[in-house]
Amino acid sequence: MDIEARPPQTTQQYVLEQLRRAILTGQLAPGSAIRQDALAEQLGVSRVPIREALKILEGEGQVIYRPRRGYMVAELALEDFLEVYRIRQILEEEAVRRAIERITDEDIQRLQDAHADVVAAGQAGEIIAMAAANRRFHFTLIDAAGMPRLRRFLSILWDASDVYRSLYYSEESNRERVEHEHQGIIDAVRARDTEDLIRRLGEHREGTVATFREFMAKQDT
């Protein structure tokens, strides 16, 4: 696992960030075992913060614990993945209908700023930075709805599919598609056009779904 320089933060935060990064980039692939002793040695920490970070990731659905086998990176079957995205569709549509009535010029500027970061990271091929900026982009819209419980549910769903979203970003053509689709989303927000915004968000999600279908089809051959 590639290790980044350690910034000033708690040991648990550092370990959690490194594990998230490894899962997102595929260094810890879906279904792979997580060896706590090896991780502790790589990160230069004791097993305590490793266990604490894994419990957080387990709560988010990113890792699972198997008795006598330990922790593994969670895998999503196609049906599970489609369920996650279907629930996201339902909840996000509710959020944006509320958000479009409440969104401010400052929110739109934050949306534009996050989009600029997505573009910069995408053009540099920096998948982790692009994923973080993409999440900030979408949650700017969700936060504008002012529905904290709905936001928490959506955050869990996003966590559960992060690793598969990174598969989508690995292709340059997909990164370019994201840039184009985000701009269309911003245009719909500026126009306060709820139905156009919902349509564009649906098309945006479908790109990731189609890529995952292709990925699963290759795994079965």
Side-chain angles (χ1 to χ4, degrees):
M1 189 172 80
D2 294 338
I3 306 300
E4 288 192 333
R6 183 169 177 173
Q9 57 188 170
T10 69
T11 301
Q12 181 184 316
Q13 289 172 334
Y14 167 69
V15 171
L16 185 58
E17 181 179 294
Q18 293 302 312
L19 285 172
R20 286 193 200 281
R21 178 174 179 270
I23 292 171
L24 182 61
T25 59
Q27 293 179 58
L28 287 174
S32 63
I34 299 174
R35 308 298 181 193
Q36 295 187 47
D37 288 339
L39 274 175
E41 184 176 349
Q42 281 183 295
L43 297 175
V45 300
S46 71
R47 289 187 58 177
V48 173
I50 300 286
R51 287 197 300 268
E52 291 172 345
L54 287 171
K55 286 185 181 298
I56 291 173
L57 293 173
E58 184 181 16
E60 295 174 353
Q62 297 206 57
V63 303
I64 56 175
Y65 180 79
R66 300 290 193 202
R68 297 184 297 277
R69 296 177 61 188
Y71 284 98
M72 303 171 61
V73 180
E75 290 183 282
L76 278 183
L78 179 58
E79 287 186 4
D80 296 329
F81 183 85
L82 295 177
E83 181 185 13
V84 166
Y85 267 69
R86 174 58 178 152
I87 298 170
R88 266 192 57 192
Q89 176 190 346
I90 294 167
L91 296 182
E92 288 179 3
E93 286 185 7
E94 179 63 25
V96 299
R97 287 186 188 280
R98 176 79 176 273
I100 210 73
E101 300 171 354
R102 298 163 49 95
I103 202 158
T104 65
D105 290 342
E106 289 76 16
D107 291 328
I108 295 173
Q109 185 57 56
R110 281 193 287 273
L111 203 63
Q112 188 69 61
D113 291 344
H115 173 57
D117 290 342
V118 169
V119 171
Q123 291 176 349
E126 296 175 356
I127 305 302
I128 296 173
M130 185 176 183
N134 177 71
R135 186 165 182 141
R136 194 166 73 250
F137 177 89
H138 285 277
F139 275 81
T140 296
L141 266 180
I142 293 164
D143 288 340
M147 303 173 75
R149 293 172 184 81
L150 184 147
R151 186 198 196 282
R152 284 198 295 274
F153 290 138
L154 281 169
S155 183
I156 291 169
L157 294 171
W158 274 67
D159 289 339
S161 56
D162 262 350
V163 65
Y164 298 99
R165 198 172 299 110
S166 69
L167 287 172
Y168 185 62
Y169 295 153
S170 66
E171 295 291 334
E172 184 177 359
S173 60
N174 289 338
R175 297 197 296 271
E176 292 173 351
R177 176 177 176 174
V178 167
E179 295 173 17
H180 174 73
E181 290 174 344
H182 276 193
Q183 188 57 59
I185 289 167
I186 293 171
D187 292 343
V189 171
R190 289 189 187 280
R192 268 66 174 185
D193 189 331
T194 304
E195 297 309 315
D196 186 41
L197 176 58
I198 288 172
R199 178 184 63 80
R200 289 178 181 275
L201 285 168
E203 291 174 351
H204 190 49
R205 282 188 297 267
E206 186 53 39
T208 309
V209 171
T211 297
F212 186 61
R213 284 184 186 275
E214 292 175 6
F215 172 76
M216 291 301 292
K218 290 177 182 176
Q219 296 295 104
D220 293 338
T221 58

